[in-house]
Amino acid sequence: MTWILSAVLAYFLLALVALVDKHLVSGPIPGPKVYSFYVGLLGVFSLILVPFGFSVSEPLSVIYLSVFAGAVFVFALFALFSALERFEVSRVVPAIGAASPLFILLFGYLFSGIKPDLNFLKILALVLLICGGVLITLENKKTITIESIKISVLAAFLFALSLTLSKFVYFLQPFWSGFIWMRIGGVLAALFFLFSKEVREELFRKRVSFKPGTLWLFIGNQAIGGCAFILQNFAIALVPLSLLPFVNALEGVKYVFLLMLVFLISLKFPKFLKEKFSGEAMIQKLLAVFLIVCGLVILTLSR
């Protein structure tokens, strides 16, 4: 199952990216709109992949679908960055990932009519991955507000829609061509943020968005994110449509990496991330990790 290995490696890299994202949107970068603009605009660098295979002779309907899928992904990132600005990374990111597979199941059936290929072991693996993702987000001392639920559900909806559309893009054209067209869609979505006064002021009036150290941190983080995104899309292209929800449910593996990284960095660099770990919270998170690992093992062994 090459797609599982590709997805796991992608989510390790994305765990690193999530930590830096939390740091940047909490201070050095002015806000989610500006950050989403820069991230989407970096999709222009996907043009360096043109020699690997890029076609402009695809039907317009296929190109439109690809561009739309890329644009939806950027708006999903905006919802994610908005949540990260206000809530802890160890709660927001897993919460979004836990809801996304359910939307993917729905979209896959509505768009294609193909029922998920789920035997008992696969259902068990999916349940364990989702439950582990939910459990790792729960905090006894913090109340879940309607507002936090809304933004998490919105982000999950958009990520699921983008992932499902991406799968259909790879059905209709070669991997690199579809990937580049979707990144072009992301660039167009980034330009949409120019309608925001906040973004225009940041770009054309202040003219100072990054300190030198922050700039290189941002660029390095996006380079890692780009590699992770290619690996994730490779997994999407390889996985059967009936098993597509697992690509997203496997984000539970990212939460395992995320928990370990947050814990280590919080000990070594407490000013970088403001995360607290009580004994009770650690037991809960370790149980969640156990569920996620069990889900991954069962998925790997299932046929």
Side-chain angles (χ1 to χ4, degrees):
M1 291 186 177
T2 306
W3 66 269
I4 295 180
L5 179 60
S6 181
V8 169
L9 181 55
Y11 289 132
F12 169 71
L13 295 178
L14 287 173
L16 294 173
V17 171
L19 290 176
V20 179
D21 283 342
K22 172 62 177 177
H23 173 64
L24 292 177
V25 301
S26 297
I29 288 181
K33 290 180 181 178
V34 176
Y35 198 44
S36 300
F37 171 79
Y38 285 128
V39 173
L41 197 63
L42 284 177
V44 72
F45 290 105
S46 66
L47 294 178
I48 65 176
L49 300 172
V50 166
F52 291 94
F54 178 63
S55 174
V56 295
S57 61
E58 302 291 341
L60 284 178
S61 58
V62 175
I63 294 176
Y64 290 154
L65 177 65
S66 304
V67 170
F68 180 65
V72 171
F73 179 75
V74 170
F75 290 124
L77 285 178
F78 171 62
L80 170 62
F81 296 150
S82 297
L84 287 175
E85 186 183 37
R86 302 171 58 187
F87 304 101
E88 292 180 351
V89 64
S90 59
R91 293 176 54 204
V92 170
V93 179
I96 294 172
S100 296
L102 303 180
F103 283 119
I104 294 172
L105 283 171
L106 176 63
F107 291 148
Y109 179 74
L110 291 178
F111 294 164
S112 68
I114 297 178
K115 295 182 179 180
D117 180 20
L118 300 177
N119 55 30
F120 173 76
L121 287 180
K122 289 175 181 175
I123 292 175
L124 178 60
L126 185 63
V127 170
L128 288 174
L129 289 170
I130 294 176
C131 288
V134 171
L135 183 61
I136 207 170
T137 70
L138 298 179
E139 296 192 21
N140 295 329
K141 297 181 180 180
K142 295 193 175 183
T143 303
I144 299 176
T145 64
I146 297 297
E147 191 172 358
S148 67
I149 292 176
K150 285 181 179 180
I151 194 169
S152 295
V153 170
L154 174 61
F157 176 89
L158 292 174
F159 276 120
L161 179 59
S162 174
L163 190 147
T164 305
L165 292 176
S166 297
K167 180 60 181 177
F168 284 102
V169 168
Y170 294 129
F171 269 141
L172 298 171
Q173 57 182 314
F175 177 79
W176 288 114
S177 184
F179 182 84
I180 294 171
W181 274 118
M182 284 192 286
R183 302 291 67 73
I184 292 174
V187 173
L188 295 177
L191 297 179
F192 176 83
F193 288 102
L194 290 177
F195 288 102
S196 167
K197 182 180 178 180
E198 175 187 352
V199 175
R200 292 197 306 273
E201 288 182 346
E202 182 66 26
L203 292 176
F204 305 123
R205 296 184 184 180
K206 297 180 181 178
R207 297 184 181 179
V208 178
S209 297
F210 301 95
K211 297 179 180 178
T214 302
L215 174 61
W216 288 112
L217 181 62
F218 174 78
I219 293 175
N221 193 48
Q222 293 310 309
I224 295 173
C227 293
F229 195 55
I230 291 175
L231 287 169
Q232 185 187 42
N233 274 260
F234 188 60
I236 293 171
L238 291 177
V239 68
L241 179 61
S242 58
L243 297 180
L244 185 59
F246 282 97
V247 174
N248 194 271
L250 276 171
E251 278 202 78
V253 178
K254 180 175 73 176
Y255 312 149
V256 176
F257 294 132
L258 184 62
L259 177 62
M260 293 188 296
L261 291 170
V262 167
F263 178 71
L264 293 174
I265 293 176
S266 295
L267 290 178
K268 188 69 175 179
F269 305 102
K271 293 182 179 180
F272 185 83
L273 286 173
K274 297 178 181 179
E275 297 278 347
K276 297 180 180 179
F277 294 92
S278 65
E280 182 180 353
M282 281 303 299
I283 293 175
Q284 176 182 311
K285 292 179 186 298
L286 288 175
L287 176 59
V289 169
F290 175 75
L291 294 177
I292 291 167
V293 172
C294 287
L296 177 60
V297 171
I298 293 173
L299 174 61
T300 304
L301 297 178
S302 66
R303 294 291 185 270

